[in-house]
């Protein structure tokens, strides 16, 4: 009666606990989605089945309690049913564990976990059989008799232990949470063993105790399942998967088997069956593992091929990249097989990215790739080497490749239609043949050299490689390297070319010209090293040095009483720097030079770059008193409208307009004449004059009408001087009046021009002043007959140069 009351109370408590557990797990399932919801629903179903089985078992205990020993056959059959029920409930709980995304992730991984768990379960069964079989019988007289119900429940418990061990070792989420849920599931299976063992043999006490523990185990599962799910998902890891799950169980079976035999035990059919099942499970698991490894190796091969293709393909255009081009060169070039490499670079592409955005730039690059693919022959390889640089490997002879390059030039020069409007680009192409190269790297180098030469010669053209390009490149690289230390080594100096007032040809100013003499390279021409300085970023440093040197020399001349001004050339990059105005002011202040004595010469090419910013900077310079000259007028892009806007003081006529012209030569200045408002009648064909006088006359009258002073550059002979004077130009500069000479030679000219007149003879011309025996910086010597041809200078008295070049 005592056991009946306890069983009744246990049944009531278990039913209540089962209801609570089921509600908790169902509510937890409703709060989740996907596989997590399915897993929690399975946990709820398993808990409900375990609670129902426990309740039925306790009802059986109540039924058999009064005459327990007289109902052995009935109790045994009833225990079989309870064993099946607990096995099913614990199996559903374990299935719920395997369904958790952070425990198994997929059905495929769950299947592998189940196989590993079976290996552990069969080993536990075998060890358990050894312990309870003769001669061990660790429970003594209480050793369970053969009962199918106990076997079923014990098998379910062993499987639960295996599953919990595997998911805990390989779970991707919180392993502690998995361990708690797994321990609850194992406890449920163990309670099932206790229920069946109590019903079969041990008595109602064990069954009632198991019924009391069962709700507690279910509560552990429920509360562990209500925790927050991790975002991690378990994956099948072939590389880091260990072998502990197989090695330890097999080692346990081997040791227990040897100890059992050593103690005089025998292997029954059950032991042989368990050992066979263990071996079969291991074989199946290893077969599956071999398949996983094989699949993994196949995936690795596929990925390797994919990444290898990616490594040789440009992701934006789909063309080959540099590696792909090199691979094609290495694999397909054969001795005697004609091969030509074309290097292509888009001219002005940086402006597209800066002004239209990188998205538009990428779209243009994609279309360039499409045009290349559509205009190549089968077998040719188009590649994007990086940025806006492309290459084409052609299996053709040089003359065929030249024609193909010309066609590509026309194709790639066509407008690129974009959503934001048309994009216009040109392309430069360099061509190199395999016959000029010894290996793939050299061929790429030759194509790049030819491409750079095409860029230097004006872009939008095709150039073939020549061996002389190597020398040009080496010299350019050497100049760039040596230029960086030229100032510190004292290799730079200034030459001063006089500016004279006519007709007296008295020097009233000078243009400071930068010269470079290298101890090994010799004299380096300015037209060679100045573009290099602009490209490599050295022009600002050189310009600052020239400015200070010119101001220093000017201050000395002014201190000696010479009435002179000095002009300095300014590069566009210097002029567009915000700090340039302060640099000029600092130089004037440091050398105590009056600002009106310094003239800054700006070329027409600088006017074409950001005119508004240029005007702002020129106005700031004029505000500190510096005068501005527009140099090389007549060769650039200035229009009359720009001249009216530019804050300049002086107009320097380019020597091409001063030089003598042949009849019928068109200087291309008619549009400017029209804008000048009738400075020269148009519409009638005039017989061309034999000199450059008409053009000089037009420009001088234009400058004077705009309030500017005019200097004629490049005057080389008396006839050109006469034409300039006839046009009304008062100032001249050119080889007729002197080359660029060192400061002391120009100082001698100034001394000669201002020497007191004691002989009542006209002041000497610049040509009569003895200067250097050889001209500076590679210039050719002036004609010997120039002094004789120069007319005597008129004595016009002292000339104040600061007033001669007046400010507008």
């Amino acid at each position: 009666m005592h056991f009946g009351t306890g069983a009744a109370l246990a049944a009531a408590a278990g039913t209540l606990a089962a209801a609570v557990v089921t509600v908790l797990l169902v509510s937890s399932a409703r709060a989740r989605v996907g596989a997590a919801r399915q897993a929690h629903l399975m946990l709820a179903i398993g808990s409900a089945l375990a609670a129902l089985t426990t309740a039925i078992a306790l009802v059986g205990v109540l039924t058999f309690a009064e005459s327990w020993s007289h109902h052995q056959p009935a109790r045994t059959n009833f225990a079989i049913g309870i064993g099946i029920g607990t096995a099913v409930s614990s199996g559903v709980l374990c299935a719920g564990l395997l369904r958790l995304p952070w425990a198994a992730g997929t059905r495929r991984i769950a299947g592998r976990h189940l196989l590993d768990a079976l290996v552990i379960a069969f080993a536990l069964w075998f060890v358990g059989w050894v312990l309870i079989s003769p001669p061990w019988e660790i429970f003594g007289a209480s050793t369970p008799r053969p009962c199918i119900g106990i076997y079923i429940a014990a098998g379910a418990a062993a499987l639960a232990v295996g599953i919990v061990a595997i998911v805990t070792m390989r779970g991707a989420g919180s392993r502690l949470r998995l361990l708690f849920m797994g321990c609850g599931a194992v406890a449920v299976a163990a309670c099932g063993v206790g229920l069946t063992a109590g019903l079969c043999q041990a008595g109602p006490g064990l069954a009632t105790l198991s019924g009391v523990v069962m709700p507690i185990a279910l509560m552990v599962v429920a509360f562990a399942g209500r925790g927050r799910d991790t975002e991690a998902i378990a994956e099948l890891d072939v590389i880091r998967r260990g072998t502990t799950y197989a090695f330890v169980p097999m080692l346990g079976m081997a040791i227990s088997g040897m100890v059992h035999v050593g103690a005089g035990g025998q292997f029954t059919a059950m032991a042989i069956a368990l050992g066979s099942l263990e071996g079969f499970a291991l074989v199946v698991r290893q077969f599956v593992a071999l398949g996983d490894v094989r699949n993994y190796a196949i995936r690795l091969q596929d990925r390797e091929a994919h990444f290898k293709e990616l490594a040789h393909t440009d992701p934006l255009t789909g063309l080959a990249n540099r590696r792909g081009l090199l691979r094609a060169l290495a694999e397909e070039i054969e001795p005697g097989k004609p091969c030509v490499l074309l290097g292509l670079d888009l001219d002005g592409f940086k402006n597209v990215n800066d002004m239209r955005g990188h998205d538009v730039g990428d779209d243009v690059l994609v279309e360039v790739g499409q045009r290349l693919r559509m205009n190549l022959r089968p077998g040719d390889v188009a590649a994007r080497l990086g940025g806006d640089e492309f290459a084409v490997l052609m299996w053709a002879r040089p003359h065929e490749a030249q024609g193909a390059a010309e066609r590509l030039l026309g194709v790639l020069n066509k407008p690129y239609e974009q959503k934001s409007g048309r994009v216009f680009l040109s392309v430069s192409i360099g061509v190199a043949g395999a016959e000029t190269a010894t290996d793939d790297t050299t061929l790429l180098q030759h194509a790049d050299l030819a491409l750079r030469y095409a860029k230097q010669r004006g872009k939008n053209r095709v150039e073939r490689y020549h061996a002389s390009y190597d020398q040009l490149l080496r010299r350019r690289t050497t100049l760039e390297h040596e230029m960086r230390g030229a100032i510190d080594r004292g290799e730079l100096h200034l030459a001063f070319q006089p500016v004279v007032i006519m007709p007296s040809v008295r020097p009233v100013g000078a243009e400071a010209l930068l010269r470079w003499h290298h101890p090994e390279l010799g004299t380096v021409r300015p037209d060679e090293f100045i573009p290099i300085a602009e490209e490599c970023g050295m022009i600002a440093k050189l310009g600052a040095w020239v400015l200070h040197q010119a101001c220093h020399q000017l201050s000395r001349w002014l201190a000696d009483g010479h009435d002179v001004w000095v002009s300095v050339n300014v590069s566009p990059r210097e002029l567009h720097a915000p700090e340039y105005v302060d640099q000029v002011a600092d130089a004037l202040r440091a050398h105590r030079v009056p600002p009106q004595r310094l003239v800054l010469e700006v070329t027409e090419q600088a006017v074409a770059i950001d005119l508004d910013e240029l005007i702002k900077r020129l106005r700031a310079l004029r505000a500190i008193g510096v005068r501005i000259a527009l140099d090389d007028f007549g060769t650039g892009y200035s229009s009359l409208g720009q001249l009216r806007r530019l804050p300049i003081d002086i107009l320097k006529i380019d020597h091409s307009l001063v030089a003598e012209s042949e009849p019928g030569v068109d200087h291309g200045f008619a549009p400017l004449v029209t804008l000048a408002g009738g400075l020269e009648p148009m519409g009638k064909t005039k017989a061309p004059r034999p000199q450059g006088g008409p053009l000089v006359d037009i420009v001088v009258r234009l400058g004077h009408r705009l309030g500017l002073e005019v200097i004629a550059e490049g005057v080389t002979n008396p006839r050109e001087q006469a034409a300039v004077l006839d046009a009304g130009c008062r100032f001249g500069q050119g080889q007729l009046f002197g080359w660029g000479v060192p400061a002391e030679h120009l100082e001698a000219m100034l001394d000669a021009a201002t020497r007191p007149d004691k002989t009542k003879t006209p002041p000497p011309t610049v040509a009569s002043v003895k200067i250097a025996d050889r001209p500076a910086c590679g210039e050719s010597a002036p004609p010997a007959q120039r002094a004789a041809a120069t007319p005597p200078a008129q004595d016009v008295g002292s000339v104040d140069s600061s007033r001669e070049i007046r400010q507008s």
Side-chain angles (χ1 to χ4, degrees):
M1 190 66 183
H2 173 71
F3 292 114
T5 303
L9 291 175
T15 302
L16 180 60
V20 174
V21 168
T22 304
V23 171
L24 290 175
L25 289 173
V26 170
S27 64
S28 178
R30 293 181 61 184
R32 290 167 170 81
V33 295
R37 170 177 287 186
Q38 297 176 9
H40 282 78
L41 285 176
M42 295 176 73
L43 291 175
I45 293 171
S47 298
L49 288 175
L52 179 61
T53 303
T54 303
I56 294 173
L58 293 177
V59 170
V61 171
L62 287 174
T63 303
F64 301 119
E66 295 182 358
S67 54
W68 185 265
S69 59
H70 300 289
H71 298 285
Q72 181 63 45
R75 285 189 290 112
T76 301
N77 294 330
F78 186 71
I80 295 174
I82 297 301
I84 294 174
T86 55
V88 171
S89 60
S90 62
V92 174
L93 287 173
C94 291
L97 286 177
L98 290 175
R99 190 60 180 144
L100 289 171
W102 35 279
T106 64
R107 290 184 174 88
R108 183 183 178 191
I109 299 176
R112 271 81 177 155
H113 288 356
L114 182 59
L115 280 173
D116 297 339
L118 284 174
V119 172
I120 297 175
F122 289 139
L124 289 176
W125 252 93
F126 184 86
V127 174
W129 171 84
V130 169
L131 293 177
I132 65 173
S133 63
W136 301 100
E137 295 183 324
I138 60 173
F139 295 110
S142 300
T143 299
R145 294 189 300 272
C147 178
I148 298 177
I150 297 177
Y151 291 162
I152 295 174
L159 181 60
V161 171
I163 290 176
V164 171
I166 292 298
V167 297
T168 304
M169 287 189 297
R170 298 178 183 165
S174 174
R175 295 188 177 183
L176 183 61
R177 185 179 170 197
L178 278 172
L179 182 61
F180 275 114
M181 295 177 69
C183 288
V186 171
V188 169
C191 289
V193 175
L195 288 173
T196 54
L199 288 171
C200 281
Q201 179 180 351
L206 179 60
T208 302
L209 179 61
S210 300
V212 173
V213 175
M214 178 72 79
I216 299 174
L218 294 176
M219 293 296 288
V220 172
V221 175
F223 282 103
R226 286 181 62 82
R228 184 177 179 181
D229 289 346
T230 178
E231 295 181 357
I233 299 177
E235 297 180 353
L236 184 63
D237 192 344
V238 177
I239 296 178
R240 291 184 293 179
R241 180 181 294 275
T243 56
T244 306
Y245 73 93
F247 179 76
V248 173
M250 284 299 299
L251 182 62
M253 289 181 66
I255 293 175
S256 61
M258 287 188 293
V259 171
H260 181 68
V261 173
Q266 296 181 351
F267 285 108
T268 63
M270 177 63 72
I272 296 174
L274 290 174
S276 301
L277 289 174
E278 175 75 3
F280 181 75
L282 282 174
V283 170
V284 172
R285 185 62 189 91
Q286 294 309 310
F287 178 79
V288 173
L290 181 61
D292 291 339
V293 172
R294 185 183 296 109
N295 293 333
Y296 183 75
I298 293 174
R299 288 199 304 272
L300 281 181
Q301 289 179 345
D302 294 340
R303 290 178 182 178
E304 182 183 3
H306 174 68
F307 287 121
K308 185 179 293 185
E309 190 63 28
L310 284 181
H312 294 84
T313 304
D314 176 58
L316 180 62
T317 61
L319 303 177
N321 58 11
R322 185 178 294 272
R323 291 191 188 90
L325 181 64
L326 291 174
R327 181 177 66 175
L329 285 170
E331 294 179 355
E332 300 186 28
I333 285 186
E334 301 174 359
K337 186 177 182 180
C339 170
V340 176
L341 183 64
L342 276 60
L344 302 91
D345 189 86
L346 302 179
D347 304 326
F349 181 75
K350 184 178 184 300
N351 295 331
V352 177
N353 278 337
D354 294 343
M355 305 302 296
R356 306 284 286 272
H358 288 272
D359 292 340
V360 175
D362 289 346
D363 292 340
V364 170
L365 292 177
V366 171
E367 187 170 348
V368 169
Q370 294 175 351
R371 294 186 185 185
L372 287 176
R373 274 192 295 264
M374 293 174 60
N375 290 274
L376 294 179
R377 301 173 305 179
D380 294 342
V381 179
R384 180 185 175 219
L385 304 183
D388 60 341
E389 188 176 353
F390 294 81
V392 176
L393 179 62
M394 305 186 68
W395 311 109
R397 301 193 179 278
H399 67 278
E400 298 173 342
Q402 185 74 20
E406 297 288 349
R407 289 193 299 273
L408 287 177
L409 190 70
V411 168
L412 298 179
N413 281 350
K414 293 180 180 179
Y416 296 84
E417 301 292 342
Q418 301 296 321
K419 294 180 181 178
S420 58
R422 286 187 171 186
V423 174
F424 295 92
L425 289 174
S426 62
V427 64
S428 300
I429 302 178
V431 182
E435 70 278 0
T436 63
T438 56
D439 52 29
D440 304 341
T441 305
T442 307
L443 181 60
L444 279 170
Q445 234 175 15
H446 289 178
D448 187 59
L449 284 174
L451 175 59
R452 293 178 64 179
Y453 189 65
K455 287 278 192 181
Q456 292 176 1
R457 293 197 63 188
K459 304 179 181 179
N460 191 25
R461 59 190 299 120
V462 178
E463 290 290 342
R464 290 198 62 183
Y465 169 78
H466 191 270
S468 60
Y469 297 170
D470 287 331
Q471 299 176 357
L472 294 175
L473 179 62
R474 280 195 295 270
R475 179 172 175 82
R476 187 191 185 285
T477 304
T478 303
L479 290 178
E480 181 179 343
H481 180 268
E482 295 296 321
M483 189 189 305
R484 299 187 183 277
I487 295 177
D488 298 333
R489 295 190 300 268
E491 297 171 2
L492 300 180
H493 67 277
L494 293 184
F496 295 88
Q497 186 174 26
V499 178
V500 302
I501 186 170
M502 298 180 292
S504 66
V505 295
R506 174 186 304 179
V508 293
E511 180 179 356
L513 304 173
L514 180 60
R515 299 292 185 253
W516 181 14
H517 184 79
H518 191 274
E520 297 179 1
L521 300 175
T523 299
V524 186
R525 294 176 57 86
D527 58 359
E528 185 178 12
F529 71 82
I530 292 296
I532 297 176
E534 291 181 344
E535 291 181 15
C536 70
M538 279 286 295
I539 192 64
K541 185 176 180 180
L542 294 180
W545 185 86
V546 170
L547 178 64
H548 279 273
Q549 292 295 316
C551 289
H552 173 70
Q553 185 60 53
L554 179 58
S555 67
R556 293 184 57 183
W557 286 336
L558 294 176
D560 292 341
H562 296 298
D563 187 16
V564 69
W565 48 268
V566 170
S567 64
V568 175
N569 292 282
V570 184
S571 73
R573 183 168 297 183
E574 289 181 278
L575 196 58
H576 283 78
E579 65 275 7
Y580 184 70
V581 178
D582 295 333
Q583 292 177 0
V584 173
D586 293 341
L588 294 173
R589 187 165 45 250
H591 300 283
R592 298 181 180 180
V593 173
Q596 66 272 16
R597 297 284 182 169
L598 179 64
V599 178
L600 298 179
E601 297 190 9
V602 183
T603 62
E604 281 195 279
Q605 282 74 15
V607 175
I609 304 174
D610 199 352
L611 181 60
D612 293 335
E613 183 68 21
L614 176 70
I615 292 174
K616 178 180 176 182
R617 199 80 71 240
L618 294 180
R619 285 175 177 169
L621 289 169
R622 293 186 72 196
I624 63 176
V626 176
R627 291 174 293 170
I628 308 298
L630 184 61
D631 196 13
D632 298 335
F633 181 76
T635 62
Y637 309 97
S638 296
S639 66
L640 181 58
Q642 289 176 333
L643 287 179
R644 295 176 66 91
R645 292 182 60 195
L646 288 172
I648 60 176
D649 305 281
I650 305 166
L651 200 62
K652 298 191 72 172
I653 307 175
D654 186 72
H655 66 87
S656 63
L657 302 181
V658 176
E660 293 180 295
S661 59
E662 297 296 331
V665 175
D666 181 10
H667 288 270
F669 208 69
L672 183 58
V673 175
T674 306
L675 289 173
L679 294 180
E680 190 71 25
M682 303 296 292
K684 294 183 180 180
T685 304
K686 285 188 170 186
R689 302 180 191 179
Q691 296 180 346
L695 297 180
V696 175
D697 178 75
I698 293 170
V699 178
V700 171
R701 292 172 61 189
L702 172 63
H704 290 167
R705 179 164 298 189
L706 294 175
L708 307 176
E709 194 55 80
V710 181
I711 299 176
E713 291 186 293
V715 179
T716 59
N717 55 61
R719 290 187 300 276
E720 293 175 355
Q721 179 186 5
V724 170
L725 283 171
D726 290 344
C729 182
R730 297 193 302 154
F731 299 95
Q733 182 180 355
Q735 81 175 49
L736 180 63
F737 311 118
W739 299 100
V741 296
E744 58 270 19
H745 294 171
L746 184 63
E747 188 171 355
M749 297 180 192
L750 295 173
D751 289 338
T754 57
R755 191 164 46 238
D757 188 3
K758 297 180 179 180
T759 61
K760 302 298 182 179
T761 58
T765 63
V766 177
S768 65
V769 179
K770 182 175 178 59
I771 60 176
D773 294 333
R774 65 180 179 84
C777 301
E779 297 174 341
S780 59
Q785 67 271 23
R786 188 186 65 184
T790 305
Q794 300 179 13
D795 186 3
V796 295
S798 177
V799 178
D800 184 358
S801 64
S802 65
R803 291 193 301 271
E804 292 295 343
I805 303 295
R806 68 180 184 276
Q807 299 185 42
S808 57

